[in-house]
Amino acid sequence: MKKTLLILLCLFSVTLYAQKSQADAKFKLYEYSEAIPLYQQYLGKNPGDYEASRNLALAYGYTNNISGAIAAYKSLLSLNKAVPEDWYDLVQLLRINGDLAEARAYAIQYQQKNDGGKAQNLIKSLDMYDELMAGKDGYLITNKTGEHQQSIFSANFYQGGLMVTAENLQGRKNEWTGRGYTKLFLTDYDCRNLIPFAPELMSDLNDGPAVVSTDGKTIYYTTINKKSVLEQDVNTSKLQISTATRQGAKWIPTTVFIYNDKRYNMAHPALSSDEKMLMFSSDKPGGKGGMDLYSCSKNPDGSWSEPVNMSELNTTENEIFPAFDASGNVYFASNGLPGLGGLDLFVSKKEGNTFGAPVNMKAPINSSYDDFSVVTDDHQDKGYISTNRFGTPETDDLAHFSRRVIEQPKQASGTQVIITVTDKYTSIPLPYVLVTLKDDKSNVVFQGMTDPNGVLVVDELPPDNYRIQGTLNDVTTTISTIGKEEFSQELIEKAVTHNDPRFTLSGVVTNVHNDQPVPGVTVTCENTVSNRTNTRVTGEDGKFFFQLEQASDFKVTGEAHGWLSSEVIYETTKGLDRSKDLYVKLKLSMQQPSANEVIRLDKIYYDYDKCDIKPRAAEELDRLVKLMNDFPDMIIELSSHTDSRGSDDYNQKLSQCRADAAVTYILAKRIAKERIIAVGYGESRLVNGCSNGVNCTEAEHQANRRTEFKIVSCASCPRVTR
């Protein structure tokens, strides 16, 4: 008996080791999404493993599952091997999540464990929150790339438009991330279309960002140092700065930047307006830590001098994505200077041959997410930033910013201006339209949102000539004007119309138990005809909006860590008349799990006398798989039920077959077998009176043909108040 027990214990240890080895292998290959469930399974049996716990927390962070990362880090801090940097990482995540009070409490704990400049800077950032947010209404921020599927970032002005870096949807995928490799593209100021730039320069790996000389004949761009790719360790691929010159319509590669080194990263080149300084970011030795900013000066022969560390700008963390304005001021992103969280943008004024102390650009240019790579004018009145604050954090977008200039009325009039915005096709009043009034010199004198009735009231407007235009979903309205002579009236009424041929999907996510709105839910809307996907994250009101193209089909889902994802809901605009319909309304219901709760999976249907898992049933089971990944200690009983038609024995066997098929599908998703109990109850647990011999409708019989799961145990599940 002792020998048998010893063998079983050895086998158990081998299984645990294999799970961790598989997870570590995935983690090393950057396959974080696949590493997460493996670490969860392993830690469910061995929760004291610090290395695995930290990798799980990091994997959540790398996939931008902020709530999952926060929970993982909190568990990590309870382990004896936890180090001060674990507290630091948790603080950064809490800041992104907006939990400032909790972030400060953990920041103080971090300072107690690792006092110094880094800790003081962290607490200073939290203390500066109100100061950094004070001007949050000073700019209008507009997402210019929300309609694109891929990450688009690092804009530079180029030939009447923009040069950007974006993931290539057409090329081969990055084996580590599953996403396209980045390339350089040209686009217009509204980023409507992406045109490949200099394909003759692009490699089969990541390329960009880039900067082009004023005469348009020389380009400096970031690419992969292929000498480092050849090394055995997959993590050693390093970035380098490459150059090319234009000859006619083609770009010809020239000698790579002389200071590249396959051992270190050299990236994000920026040229000063006089082209006498080249600045870039590198983790080469001799810096303050992380990625530092370096600069080279142009020699009389056109070569570049030895790189000099910009010590007045650098910290022990990362300083990246430098850029210059026309006056020679430098802009860059840092996560080591006091800021709002993640990467913040800073500006350093040129002072002779040096640069002044970095100044945080504050909200709304900065946010608690990553904000980087700015291009702007000398006065920072307008420009573009790169940010992951919109939609899903793993996708970067280009946002345009413009300063709100609201002049104080010099001469108030008693005239009231009422502006109404309606949909062109249906004449329905449109709420939440941003309406702008400009004077003859195109100065913005007033901005405001229409109310739920599509109306904006403006009081005490000085008599003058004005132009009125609204913006909704990045589509502008018609223009209406006010003449100075009209201010002799007590009331001026103006109307503009919004010409967007798309339908609006208006939805709300609610708690299935109390019908209250659920914030923080990532709602995904996929156009299954064009294969384009958009996401939104619900606010406190639980609401979300999408623009739906005509004659298309859509699939909508909602997900949040620790919640059972919503059912997959299918909508269509086929057959809808845009002249009559504007809104498609939708309600997504979600729930948090609790022990002993029975949850019905309503959309799992089977063909008559079949056990096969159909595509729509697989979508339902995927909801359960995600929930079990969120709670790695959850054990469930999955049950299948039939109606009363057919013999008791037949129904019992059929229901067991269907339950087993569902479990087989879940196991294929890497859920441990011991976490699921499959039971077929046949017709023994009817939900209505449709027993043998009772005459019932098909709908009543259908109610009994169901699949459910019961949460047998789940210590980590929240205590849900109904």
Side-chain angles (χ1 to χ4, degrees):
M1 181 66 184
K2 290 182 179 179
K3 183 177 181 181
T4 301
L5 181 59
L6 180 61
I7 292 173
L8 291 174
L9 287 172
C10 290
L11 289 174
F12 181 74
S13 298
V14 169
T15 301
L16 283 179
Y17 177 77
Q19 285 180 335
K20 184 180 180 183
S21 296
Q22 292 172 0
D24 289 343
K26 296 292 185 183
F27 186 88
K28 186 177 181 181
L29 290 169
Y30 301 111
E31 296 172 356
Y32 302 120
S33 295
E34 295 185 30
I36 287 172
L38 293 172
Y39 279 127
Q40 288 174 330
Q41 293 173 26
Y42 169 74
L43 289 169
K45 301 165 188 173
N46 193 16
D49 189 318
Y50 170 78
E51 180 185 356
S53 298
R54 178 164 174 76
N55 284 352
L56 175 62
L58 290 170
Y60 271 128
Y62 293 152
T63 56
N64 287 290
N65 185 334
I66 304 302
S67 58
I70 288 173
Y73 269 104
K74 287 181 177 179
S75 297
L76 182 67
L77 298 190
S78 65
L79 302 180
N80 292 332
K81 291 185 178 181
V83 297
E85 288 307 301
D86 298 331
W87 272 264
Y88 182 87
D89 292 345
L90 175 57
V91 172
Q92 299 290 24
L93 291 163
L94 289 168
R95 294 173 71 192
I96 291 174
N97 215 39
D99 302 327
L100 298 179
E102 192 174 9
R104 199 177 196 287
Y106 280 106
I108 292 173
Q109 294 179 32
Y110 171 70
Q111 186 180 37
Q112 293 169 347
K113 297 174 181 297
N114 189 38
D115 194 12
K118 187 174 179 179
Q120 294 168 10
N121 180 69
L122 183 61
I123 293 177
K124 183 179 179 181
S125 296
L126 294 165
D127 291 342
M128 289 176 61
Y129 179 79
D130 290 339
E131 176 188 341
L132 296 176
M133 292 295 293
K136 63 182 177 63
D137 297 321
Y139 287 92
L140 175 65
I141 306 291
T142 306
N143 183 3
K144 290 295 186 181
T145 57
E147 296 300 316
H148 294 275
Q149 299 179 43
Q150 69 268 53
S151 283
I152 303 175
F153 57 96
S154 290
N156 266 313
F157 296 121
Y158 183 77
Q159 294 185 349
L162 299 174
M163 175 186 289
V164 301
T165 301
E167 292 170 341
N168 184 17
L169 297 180
Q170 306 303 320
R172 71 188 186 94
K173 305 299 181 185
N174 187 320
E175 295 177 358
W176 295 341
T177 65
R179 304 177 70 88
Y181 285 103
T182 59
K183 304 296 168 197
L184 294 173
F185 293 87
L186 299 181
T187 187
D188 59 284
Y189 291 130
D190 288 322
C191 306
R192 286 179 289 243
N193 298 305
L194 296 176
I195 302 171
F197 173 82
E200 63 272 21
L201 293 182
M202 300 296 98
S203 70
D204 55 352
L205 299 171
N206 287 320
D207 300 298
V211 62
V212 179
S213 60
T214 305
D215 62 8
K217 294 182 178 180
T218 305
I219 186 173
Y220 299 83
Y221 61 104
T222 306
T223 189
I224 299 293
N225 189 325
K226 297 231 175 152
K227 293 181 180 178
S228 65
V229 175
L230 298 177
E231 298 181 26
Q232 291 183 349
D233 189 340
V234 296
N235 295 322
T236 62
S237 299
K238 302 299 180 183
L239 301 174
Q240 70 173 17
I241 297 173
S242 295
T243 60
T245 57
R246 194 178 66 184
Q247 297 182 14
K250 293 288 186 181
W251 287 91
I252 308 301
T254 56
T255 305
V256 295
F257 188 51
I258 190 174
Y259 301 111
N260 287 330
D261 191 315
K262 69 178 183 180
R263 298 169 296 176
Y264 318 117
N265 289 295
M266 314 280 277
H268 313 155
L271 272 177
S272 61
S273 56
D274 60 8
E275 300 185 14
K276 293 181 179 179
M277 178 178 286
L278 177 69
M279 191 174 291
F280 58 92
S281 186
S282 176
D283 57 359
K284 65 195 297 286
K288 289 190 175 181
M291 296 285 283
D292 274 12
L293 296 177
Y294 289 82
S295 68
C296 298
S297 298
K298 181 161 285 189
N299 296 318
D301 63 359
S303 62
W304 292 107
S305 67
E306 284 274 354
V308 176
N309 187 283
M310 306 294 292
S311 57
E312 65 271 32
L313 307 181
N314 292 321
T315 70
T316 58
E317 301 304 307
N318 296 307
E319 281 68 48
I320 50 181
F321 293 100
F324 292 93
D325 63 22
S327 296
N329 305 313
V330 65
Y331 301 78
F332 62 96
S334 172
N335 61 356
L337 292 165
L340 287 169
L343 289 169
D344 268 27
L345 283 161
F346 295 82
V347 58
S348 177
K349 296 289 186 180
K350 182 174 176 58
E351 299 176 351
N353 294 324
T354 62
F355 293 92
V359 176
N360 190 294
M361 296 185 74
K362 302 182 180 180
I365 290 178
N366 285 321
S367 69
S368 61
Y369 290 88
D370 286 332
D371 305 291
F372 59 100
S373 196
V374 63
V375 56
T376 184
D377 56 76
D378 296 4
H379 304 291
Q380 302 158 33
D381 287 331
K382 59 184 178 180
Y384 293 85
I385 60 171
S386 302
T387 180
N388 67 342
R389 73 181 73 176
F390 306 113
T392 54
E394 63 266 24
T395 303
D396 295 316
D397 285 295
L398 277 182
H400 181 266
F401 66 90
S402 56
R403 193 185 298 275
R404 295 183 189 270
V405 181
I406 303 176
E407 296 182 354
Q408 295 298 321
K410 297 177 182 177
Q411 178 187 353
S413 77
T415 301
Q416 186 179 66
V417 179
I418 297 179
I419 303 166
T420 304
V421 184
T422 58
D423 177 60
K424 174 185 176 181
Y425 300 94
T426 63
S427 298
I428 294 174
L430 297 178
Y432 314 122
V433 179
L434 178 66
V435 178
T436 302
L437 277 72
K438 294 183 178 180
D439 61 18
D440 285 340
K441 297 179 181 179
S442 294
N443 296 315
V444 176
V445 297
F446 183 87
Q447 281 189 323
M449 288 281 191
T450 57
D451 64 18
N453 298 312
V455 174
L456 174 66
V457 178
V458 185
D459 293 313
E460 299 184 351
L461 193 66
D464 206 342
N465 298 315
Y466 297 102
R467 189 179 69 171
I468 305 168
Q469 189 170 33
T471 303
L472 179 65
N473 299 319
D474 293 328
V475 176
T476 55
T477 67
T478 56
I479 297 173
S480 183
T481 60
I482 303 176
K484 189 174 183 178
E485 68 281 358
E486 294 183 67
F487 284 86
S488 61
Q489 311 168 38
E490 291 186 0
L491 178 66
I492 300 174
E493 295 183 274
K494 297 292 178 178
V496 293
T497 58
H498 190 243
N499 180 14
D500 188 344
R502 299 172 296 178
F503 297 85
T504 297
L505 174 62
S506 172
V508 61
V509 180
T510 60
N511 188 322
V512 71
H513 294 296
N514 55 24
D515 209 34
Q516 293 299 303
V518 182
V521 177
T522 299
V523 181
T524 301
C525 179
E526 178 187 355
N527 184 325
T528 58
V529 175
S530 65
N531 292 321
R532 295 186 64 180
T533 299
N534 287 305
T535 60
R536 300 286 187 273
V537 178
T538 60
E540 292 300 320
D541 60 2
K543 292 182 179 179
F544 58 90
F545 299 90
F546 292 100
Q547 297 306 111
L548 306 182
E549 294 80 7
Q550 297 188 45
S552 294
D553 299 319
F554 301 88
K555 183 167 72 172
V556 186
T557 57
E559 289 189 359
H561 182 77
W563 290 72
L564 178 65
S565 302
S566 74
E567 294 180 353
V568 179
I569 296 182
Y570 291 86
E571 291 288 350
T572 185
T573 54
K574 293 177 179 177
L576 293 183
D577 186 348
R578 186 60 182 83
S579 65
K580 299 177 182 179
D581 302 305
L582 172 60
Y583 292 109
V584 177
K585 296 188 176 180
L586 183 65
K587 182 176 181 180
L588 295 179
S589 296
M590 297 178 65
Q591 65 190 100
Q592 287 181 298
S594 61
N596 296 316
E597 183 174 16
V598 176
I599 299 174
R600 181 169 173 174
L601 299 172
D602 285 320
K603 295 187 177 180
I604 295 185
Y605 303 123
Y606 301 90
D607 291 332
Y608 177 74
D609 200 30
K610 298 288 186 181
C611 304
D612 305 46
I613 300 298
K614 302 168 74 174
R616 293 290 174 91
E619 291 177 341
E620 281 289 278
L621 293 175
D622 286 340
R623 299 169 60 209
L624 175 54
V625 169
K626 180 188 177 299
L627 187 68
M628 296 186 74
N629 282 330
D630 286 347
F631 297 101
D633 61 345
M634 179 184 289
I635 297 175
I636 67 164
E637 175 191 284
L638 191 143
S639 58
S640 180
H641 306 259
T642 69
D643 59 37
S644 62
R645 293 175 295 185
S647 70
D648 292 358
D649 182 61
Y650 169 80
N651 284 335
Q652 177 63 40
K653 291 179 180 178
L654 180 61
S655 66
Q656 187 65 51
C657 175
R658 290 174 173 175
D660 290 340
V663 169
T664 298
Y665 178 88
I666 295 172
L667 295 180
K669 298 292 183 176
R670 299 183 177 178
I671 298 295
K673 184 176 182 180
E674 57 268 23
R675 296 178 61 195
I676 313 174
I677 304 167
V679 180
Y681 285 105
E683 60 181 89
S684 64
R685 295 190 177 185
L686 303 176
V687 297
N688 52 34
C690 295
S691 57
N692 292 333
V694 177
N695 187 22
C696 290
T697 65
E698 182 58 35
E700 290 171 326
H701 282 304
Q702 177 64 62
N704 289 313
R705 298 196 301 272
R706 65 197 189 278
T707 297
E708 299 171 337
F709 69 92
K710 176 182 179 182
I711 301 173
V712 177
S713 65
C714 181
S716 64
C717 286
R719 294 187 177 182
V720 181
T721 301
R722 304 300 186 204

